[in-house]
Amino acid sequence: MFEYLWGKKAQARYLIIATILLLGFMLGARELWTMEARWADIVMNFFYRDDFLHPYLNGEAYYDKPLLSYWFMSVFYYFSHSAFALRLPSAIAAGVSVWAIFRLGEKLYSREAGLISAWMLLTTFYFLFFGRVASADMLNLCGTLLAVLWYVKKETQTTFVTYFVFFLIIALTSLCKGLLGAVL
């Protein structure tokens, strides 16, 4: 019984449960605000105009950000026209970021270091804040962490596929937020 409640597997289970609760609980409870309205307007215009290649904000063409982050929101918005659907890609990216930082800590140091790192990231105020907001910031963080994790896990393998996957992760990250993803 002790191993089930406090063993090594239980520690990871508690992290998963806390991640789901902190990032997903009442995700769509409050209305959209400030910058979220911009993202919502662009996604709604995709559906209104039936054109997913040209973003519009307030009736004018708006090419400030690459399209992939808008498309992620559009996938969930298609099924549920709600604030929850617009915020869900950020929450999923935040959850994947917690997993990636756990795996990085585990690979570089130990399982305990990975757990501590993941808990520290998960309980940081601005991480939780941006993990529950409709924007591309969490997608950028997630892509950057996945690229670093891929590099750390495959640094001794110098094959074409290894490099291809690494640069594919960087390219997709750049398509979410901009060239900042490649720079980081």
Side-chain angles (χ1 to χ4, degrees):
M1 183 69 170
F2 180 78
E3 184 66 27
Y4 180 76
L5 290 175
W6 302 108
K8 290 186 184 272
K9 289 183 180 179
Q11 295 169 350
R13 273 193 301 259
Y14 293 143
L15 179 64
I16 292 168
I17 291 168
T19 302
I20 291 169
L21 286 175
L22 288 173
L23 294 171
F25 183 68
M26 296 183 68
L27 188 60
R30 61 181 169 79
E31 295 296 320
L32 297 174
W33 63 285
T34 62
M35 67 181 171
E36 288 183 310
R38 180 183 58 195
W39 291 88
D41 188 26
I42 292 168
V43 169
M44 285 188 280
N45 273 309
F46 279 162
F47 288 100
Y48 177 74
R49 295 174 184 273
D50 200 24
D51 179 10
F52 290 85
L53 296 176
H54 303 96
Y56 281 86
L57 178 65
N58 298 326
E60 295 182 18
Y62 183 78
Y63 295 102
D64 189 42
K65 300 267 188 259
L67 290 172
L68 192 58
S69 55
Y70 300 127
W71 289 346
F72 282 143
M73 289 181 191
S74 296
V75 168
F76 295 105
Y77 191 76
Y78 176 77
F79 295 106
S80 169
H81 299 293
S82 65
F84 175 81
L86 291 169
R87 293 178 181 136
L88 192 56
S90 289
I92 291 171
V96 172
S97 297
V98 170
W99 171 80
I101 207 79
F102 166 71
R103 296 291 296 162
L104 269 170
E106 186 178 50
K107 174 75 175 156
L108 293 174
Y109 299 104
S110 66
R111 182 176 173 85
E112 291 76 24
L115 282 168
I116 290 170
S117 301
W119 276 106
M120 287 177 69
L121 179 65
L122 180 62
T123 56
T124 303
F125 174 77
Y126 279 111
F127 177 79
L128 282 176
F129 176 78
F130 283 106
R132 299 175 55 86
V133 170
S135 72
D137 297 321
M138 221 18 85
L139 297 169
N140 190 35
L141 173 70
C142 180
T144 304
L145 284 174
L146 288 176
V148 171
L149 177 62
W150 182 264
Y151 174 78
V152 167
K153 289 184 76 148
K154 305 286 185 176
E155 76 181 307
T156 58
Q157 299 175 6
T158 56
T159 64
F160 173 77
V161 173
T162 304
Y163 288 125
F164 178 78
V165 171
F166 177 74
F167 286 110
L168 181 66
I169 294 169
I170 291 174
L172 290 174
T173 302
S174 296
L175 288 174
C176 285
K177 180 78 171 169
L179 291 177
L180 183 66
V183 171
L184 289 177

